[in-house]
Amino acid sequence: MQRTIVGIDVGTTKVCTIVAQVSDAGSMNILGVGLTPSKGLDKGVVVNIDDAVNAIATSIEKAERLSGYRIGTAFVGVAGRHIASLNSRGVVAVQRPDHEITRNDVARAVESAQAVAIPTQREIIHVIPRAYVVDGHEGIRDPIGMSGFRLEVETHIVTGEVMAIQNLIKSVQKAGVEIDDLVLQPLASGEAVLTAEDKDRGVMLVDMGGGTTDMAIFVQGGVWHTSVLPVGGTHFTNDIVYVLHTPHNTAEYLKLKYGSAIAGEPPAPDDTSDLIDAETLTVGEKQQISRHLLNEIIQARAEQVVELIYNEIKRSGYEGMLPAGIVLTGGAAQLSGFDELVREMLGMPVRIGIPSDLTGLADSLDSPSYATGVGLLRWGARHGLSMLGPTHRSEERQGWGNVYERFKGWMREFLP
């Protein structure tokens, strides 16, 4: 049996809609892809709903035309500078007289963990079970069927600003699509480019988009830390604009064509092969710029990003505990030499994560840029609609629906 799933990655620089057929065995056949430049977003946050709606609608229309499928609902990625996370622990007494732990006990423990102080302007996006403790015995992944008097659960809670989330929801709905579920983008990207072994050993996913860099640390099979840096690929381009006084589209071209995160040795004074012809901010005027200078500009920003990544690893408490290293994905991760720079500065294994195991129009998605879009499909295939609250499809929704219903999907994932 096959079902059709749609993922919409609403990013700062692009909107990508992907339609796929997924079989019960998990194989994924790509039917259509709709890609369009993003408008109305800044650092992952909607700042102009009309522009955002037009970009999303255009992307959806392209995917529909290519796939021949009428899109009614979709899994949508959420990110941005408003995202925050915390860890919480819930505790309950086992209810059954014979003290056997049931799914209901697990659901109550997870619900208990959600009882944390959240500011009124924020709401919970995900409550993710990480590990369980039964009568003081830690590191238990599946407590169901075990005996005990006291059950504790460690959870990772992701929150976002209410208005930012509502504006994203409105933008998608006004484009004619209802939302199956909102999914934190690095969690979605992890579905596309990380293996079960990566997550079990300990790995950091770094999803570098246009406006933000989204990160997630996975340990023992689950997510233990998430964060968002308000810096992405557009910052590299803007640096080139400011220093070299060149138009934005020219700066973007120079970055993609000649850019590298490692500048290398400067050329000899008489070496003209280092020079590149480029436009200036004055219409009709040309200039010659040094490729080495271009890459020095890029390297300065790249080193700053790596330092921010390292600071986030230290803040998470997992420094030295990520044997699988760092997996870079997202469009900005394609910058030449960036993976090598991360490897040199942090002394960790580093690789570029690219979506795989796809059929159909898979060639069009053979890039880190599409990790979130493909990951949304895999998320939908894995969790399905069981994570939806009954108010997800309403503009007047006040929360995320029935807690037990929302957690059942997580329990199927972590408690087979």
Side-chain angles (χ1 to χ4, degrees), residues 164-205:
I165 294 171
Q166 293 291 342
N167 287 333
L168 175 61
I169 291 172
K170 288 180 180 180
S171 298
V172 175
Q173 289 179 333
K174 286 187 175 183
V177 173
E178 296 292 344
I179 296 178
D180 285 328
D181 203 2
L182 290 178
V183 184
L184 186 66
Q185 287 189 6
L187 297 185
S189 299
E191 293 280 336
V193 302
L194 297 180
T195 66
E197 183 180 359
D198 288 332
K199 295 179 181 180
D200 195 60
R201 292 173 59 200
V203 67
M204 183 179 203
L205 177 80

Side-chain angles (χ1 to χ4, degrees), residues 14-33:
K14 74 177 187 307
V15 179
C16 179
T17 302
I18 308 177
V19 182
Q21 277 187 338
V22 182
S23 69
D24 290 340
S27 62
M28 189 167 290
N29 182 42
I30 305 299
L31 302 179
V33 179

Side-chain angles (χ1 to χ4, degrees), residues 10 19 22 52 80 100 194 222 244 307 315 339 343 383 404:
V10 185
V19 182
V22 182
E100 181 176 319
L194 297 180
L244 299 181
E307 288 173 359
R315 192 171 74 87
D339 55 337
R343 192 178 299 113
H383 298 290
Y404 177 68

Side-chain angles (χ1 to χ4, degrees), residues 146-158:
M146 297 179 66
S147 295
F149 291 89
R150 174 187 171 99
L151 174 65
E152 301 175 58
V153 61
E154 297 174 348
T155 65
H156 185 68
I157 299 177
V158 180

Side-chain angles (χ1 to χ4, degrees), residues 3 27 37 48 63 74 126-127 171 205 251 277 292 306 315 326 338 346 371 377 404:
R3 52 197 172 119
S27 62
N48 185 312
H126 295 295
V127 180
S171 298
L205 177 80
D277 290 329
H292 183 263
V306 177
R315 192 171 74 87
I326 293 176
F338 186 74
L346 301 187
L377 299 175
Y404 177 68

Side-chain angles (χ1 to χ4, degrees), residues 81-103:
R81 55 182 182 263
H82 65 98
I83 295 295
S85 65
L86 69 154
N87 297 323
S88 178
R89 176 172 289 210
V91 184
V92 295
V94 178
Q95 284 186 321
R96 284 179 50 152
D98 61 1
H99 304 295
E100 181 176 319
I101 298 171
T102 65
R103 286 189 180 274

Side-chain angles (χ1 to χ4, degrees), residues 59-334:
S59 173
I60 291 170
E61 181 184 352
K62 289 181 178 179
E64 287 181 331
R65 192 182 311 123
L66 194 57
S67 65
Y69 177 78
R70 175 70 176 88
I71 297 174
T73 66
F75 290 85
V76 177
V78 59
R81 55 182 182 263
H82 65 98
I83 295 295
S85 65
L86 69 154
N87 297 323
S88 178
R89 176 172 289 210
V91 184
V92 295
V94 178
Q95 284 186 321
R96 284 179 50 152
D98 61 1
H99 304 295
E100 181 176 319
I101 298 171
T102 65
R103 286 189 180 274
N104 183 58
D105 294 318
V106 172
R108 289 189 302 112
V110 175
E111 184 174 359
S112 172
Q114 191 186 8
V116 293
I118 302 293
T120 55
Q121 72 273 20
R122 304 189 68 81
E123 65 176 278
I124 293 175
I125 300 173
H126 295 295
V127 180
I128 308 171
R130 306 187 310 184
Y132 297 87
V133 181
V134 177
D135 292 347
H137 298 284
E138 299 184 351
I140 296 172
R141 297 194 187 183
D142 183 359
I144 294 177
M146 297 179 66
S147 295
F149 291 89
R150 174 187 171 99
L151 174 65
E152 301 175 58
V153 61
E154 297 174 348
T155 65
H156 185 68
I157 299 177
V158 180
T159 69
E161 290 181 2
V162 172
M163 294 309 300
I165 294 171
Q166 293 291 342
N167 287 333
L168 175 61
I169 291 172
K170 288 180 180 180
S171 298
V172 175
Q173 289 179 333
K174 286 187 175 183
V177 173
E178 296 292 344
I179 296 178
D180 285 328
D181 203 2
L182 290 178
V183 184
L184 186 66
Q185 287 189 6
L187 297 185
S189 299
E191 293 280 336
V193 302
L194 297 180
T195 66
E197 183 180 359
D198 288 332
K199 295 179 181 180
D200 195 60
R201 292 173 59 200
V203 67
M204 183 179 203
L205 177 80
V206 178
D207 186 348
M208 298 183 62
T212 62
T213 295
D214 310 319
M215 295 172 290
I217 291 178
F218 297 83
V219 179
Q220 297 177 356
V223 59
W224 288 72
H225 181 80
T226 54
S227 61
V228 177
L229 299 177
V231 60
T234 56
H235 293 79
F236 290 84
T237 305
N238 291 337
D239 291 345
I240 297 171
V241 171
Y242 295 146
V243 176
L244 299 181
H245 307 292
T246 189
H248 189 275
N249 59 342
T250 300
E252 182 71 12
Y253 170 78
L254 292 173
K255 180 184 72 175
L256 298 177
K257 178 72 173 179
Y258 302 104
S260 174
I262 299 178
E265 295 295 325
D270 58 347
D271 185 1
T272 59
S273 64
D274 178 63
L275 300 178
I276 306 169
D277 290 329
E279 296 181 3
T280 69
L281 292 174
T282 303
V283 178
E285 285 191 4
K286 297 284 188 179
Q287 63 175 324
Q288 283 193 321
I289 64 172
S290 164
R291 182 183 301 189
H292 183 263
L293 174 60
L294 170 70
N295 290 334
E296 282 187 325
I297 297 167
I298 294 173
Q299 181 173 337
R301 175 66 74 173
E303 288 177 347
Q304 181 208 33
V305 173
V306 177
E307 288 173 359
L308 291 173
I309 292 171
Y310 175 63
N311 290 339
E312 198 60 37
I313 294 175
K314 288 199 300 183
R315 192 171 74 87
S316 74
Y318 289 97
E319 184 179 4
M321 300 170 61
L322 302 172
I326 293 176
V327 176
L328 301 173
T329 195
Q334 300 175 92

